[in-house]
Amino acid sequence: MPGKTSSQRARRSPAPARFVMDFGGRKVTAELLSAEAPNVARAFRDSLPNRSFSVHAKFAGEELIVMVPFHADPENEIFDVKPGDIGYYPGRQTICIFYGKTKPFGHVSVFARVTDGLGALKTIGRTILERGPVKVALAPA
């Protein structure tokens, strides 16, 4: 079988960039949506690894909120999020991890999606609601 030409190789998309969120020993893996939100995804990736904490949304629904050490302009903003979507709120310098029924208060820049561990987020969410904030480590996968 002949090799691929340089133009065929150029059309192939790069391997997805993955990262891990460790919520006090419970790990969740996600994939950056670099094509949909290139600037937010790059800013997030460049901030890794880092440590923060997670709190739970009080009124929006099943949503975890994590402070992050970067700023990026909004892009790929949507209002109708789905479980597994990870969005960025520039004004609050936070990422929001949507794990169930959620109705955000505004548009959010979706830049990543959970690929493994979505079910664990329900347990993590209950723990945060019962006991308070949980430390979270964010790192490349």
Side-chain angles (χ1 to χ4, degrees), residues 2-3 21 43 70-71 90 96 101 111-112 119 126 132 136 140-141:
M21 301 174 284
F70 71 88
H71 185 274
C96 302
K101 186 175 179 184
F111 72 97
R126 278 194 307 273
V136 60

Side-chain angles (χ1 to χ4, degrees), residues 67-86:
M67 298 289 297
V68 290
F70 71 88
H71 185 274
D73 289 328
E75 59 187 352
N76 193 36
E77 289 187 289
I78 63 172
F79 186 74
D80 187 25
V81 296
K82 294 172 182 49
D85 284 347
I86 301 175

Side-chain angles (χ1 to χ4, degrees), residues 27-80:
K27 294 183 180 180
V28 176
T29 303
E31 176 179 295
L32 292 172
L33 302 176
S34 297
E36 293 88 342
N39 297 317
V40 175
R42 182 175 33 261
F44 177 81
R45 184 185 64 237
D46 291 349
S47 77
L48 300 178
N50 67 66
R51 295 186 176 278
S52 188
F53 63 93
S54 181
V55 296
H56 200 285
K58 294 294 183 182
F59 304 107
E62 295 176 311
E63 170 188 346
L64 301 178
I65 302 165
V66 178
M67 298 289 297
V68 290
F70 71 88
H71 185 274
D73 289 328
E75 59 187 352
N76 193 36
E77 289 187 289
I78 63 172
F79 186 74
D80 187 25

Side-chain angles (χ1 to χ4, degrees), residues 20-28 120-121 123-124 127 131 136:
V20 175
M21 301 174 284
D22 185 334
F23 295 87
R26 288 197 164 98
K27 294 183 180 180
V28 176
L121 290 171
T123 302
I124 295 164
T127 299
R131 300 183 190 156
V136 60

Side-chain angles (χ1 to χ4, degrees), residues 113-124:
R113 184 159 294 119
V114 172
T115 57
D116 186 41
L118 185 59
L121 290 171
K122 284 200 179 282
T123 302
I124 295 164

